Amino acid sequence: MLLIGMFTLHTGSALAVTAFAQASPATVTWLRLSWAALLLLALGGRSLWRAVRAASRRELGAVVILGTASAGMMLFYSEATARIELGTATSIEFLGTLVVAVAAMRRRRELVWILAAVAGVLCLTRPWQGELDLVGVGFALAGAVCVVGYIVLTQRVGAGFGAVHGLALTMTVGAVVSAPLGAPGLVAAPDPDLVLFTLLIALLFPMVPFLLEMVALQRMSRTAYSTFSSLEPAVALVMGLVVIGQAPALVQVVGMVLVVVAGAGAARGDGSRRPAVPDLAAATAADPHRPEEGARPEEIGAASGRAV
């Protein structure tokens, strides 16, 4: 399920690149966020509104910050993939995930994985050739910074609302935050075909991957999950080749291997056999005021792969 989710996610990302010929990356991203928000709000149903009414101001504030970080992450990633290869943009953004993973272990020797990933990114971008798109790389790095905030806040929001509710609220905030950047383009040049196409993309990313991950997270240890997740940059490279014909050079393949090895090495360095997300009993024991009625195990914990 995790691998299917990754391939689905990056199929959606690759298809989004093809939509940039019809509208700006900001408009395409806003439409994706809006569709995802509408679908998830419908999925949340009445229990979502009960959760919102019961939430504290601090919990709602965390949702607003997380939604803003999520919007920034997707907007910057879209702007990056409009300028540089899909696999390269994903690898640079993956640096945010890797930094958080290594920092959590607090062991200096684990810094070798950061160095390996940086070397891999250099191989992917090939700055010595003089063809490096600095703007595209800058957008990808900005996305990596947003990923750090996304990781830090997602577990807090997931623990307070549950994954489905937390993701629905996050996507809603993201759609509102990105509207000033994305909506004007659609208003100026309405395109029904683009609107329907972005519905398909929203199903591919984030709907299907995140829902598959919620189930997969219950069946894997945190280390195993993180190790598999390190394949994501490679999956992005493959889908960029298959869907939009972005063929990598040999040195870029070497760079991709370095990034994947760095991610897997950092994950194995954790050595944890604990579940990737806590079960319902553990979550309830940690917070005796947490409502149990209607809650499901898959609604506890992280909303997506970057949350672990």
Side-chain angles (χ1 to χ4, degrees):
M1 287 186 290
L2 188 60
L3 290 171
I4 291 171
M6 279 194 283
F7 276 99
T8 303
L9 186 155
H10 288 292
T11 299
S13 297
L15 289 174
V17 173
T18 67
F20 297 160
Q22 299 172 259
S24 70
T27 297
V28 173
T29 301
W30 172 68
L31 284 169
R32 291 166 59 195
L33 283 166
S34 299
W35 277 122
L38 290 172
L39 293 169
L40 286 163
L41 288 173
L43 185 63
R46 294 182 180 179
S47 62
L48 171 61
W49 306 118
R50 288 198 297 268
V52 171
R53 288 195 296 268
S56 65
R57 289 186 178 181
R58 187 172 183 178
E59 289 174 328
L60 294 174
V63 168
V64 172
I65 298 173
L66 176 60
T68 303
S70 300
M73 184 175 67
M74 292 185 67
L75 284 167
F76 287 135
Y77 182 73
S78 294
E79 292 287 354
T81 56
R83 295 167 172 82
I84 60 179
E85 292 88 349
L86 193 68
T88 302
T90 303
S91 297
I92 295 173
E93 193 178 72
F94 186 70
L95 291 176
T97 305
L98 192 59
V99 166
V100 173
V102 170
M105 285 182 278
R106 299 179 182 178
R107 295 194 295 265
R108 290 185 179 179
R109 66 176 181 269
E110 302 299 340
L111 291 175
V112 67
W113 304 122
I114 297 290
L115 297 176
V118 171
V121 168
L122 288 174
C123 290
L124 283 161
T125 54
R126 297 175 292 175
W128 56 83
Q129 289 191 350
E131 299 176 356
L132 180 62
D133 190 319
L134 293 176
V135 176
V137 171
F139 277 124
L141 287 172
V145 173
C146 290
V147 167
V148 174
Y150 182 88
I151 292 170
V152 171
L153 286 168
T154 296
Q155 288 184 327
R156 182 179 301 176
V157 171
F161 289 95
V164 173
H165 292 169
L167 188 59
L169 295 173
T170 298
M171 291 295 102
T172 300
V173 172
V176 172
V177 168
S178 60
L181 298 174
L186 185 66
V187 172
D191 189 341
D193 291 337
L194 176 65
V195 173
L196 292 175
F197 187 49
T198 52
L199 170 59
L200 169 64
I201 298 173
L203 289 171
L204 293 172
F205 175 43
M207 283 292 295
V208 171
F210 285 2
L211 292 174
L212 284 174
E213 283 178 352
M214 278 193 285
V215 180
L217 283 166
Q218 308 305 312
R219 294 163 169 80
M220 304 177 75
S221 70
R222 185 166 65 185
T223 301
Y225 175 80
S226 299
T227 302
F228 272 99
S229 295
S230 66
L231 295 172
E232 187 171 342
V235 172
L237 184 144
V238 170
M239 298 317 297
L241 172 64
V242 173
V243 178
I244 51 180
Q246 293 180 341
L250 179 59
V251 68
Q252 290 180 300
V253 174
V254 172
M256 183 60 62
V257 171
L258 284 171
V259 173
V260 171
V261 168
R268 304 305 295 182
D270 180 18
S272 174
R273 295 190 176 183
R274 289 173 294 172
V277 296
D279 59 24
L280 180 59
T284 305
D287 184 359
H289 302 291
R290 182 183 178 86
E292 293 188 56
E293 182 178 358
R296 298 191 303 274
E298 65 267 28
E299 291 183 339
I300 308 300
S304 83
R306 292 187 177 92
V308 176

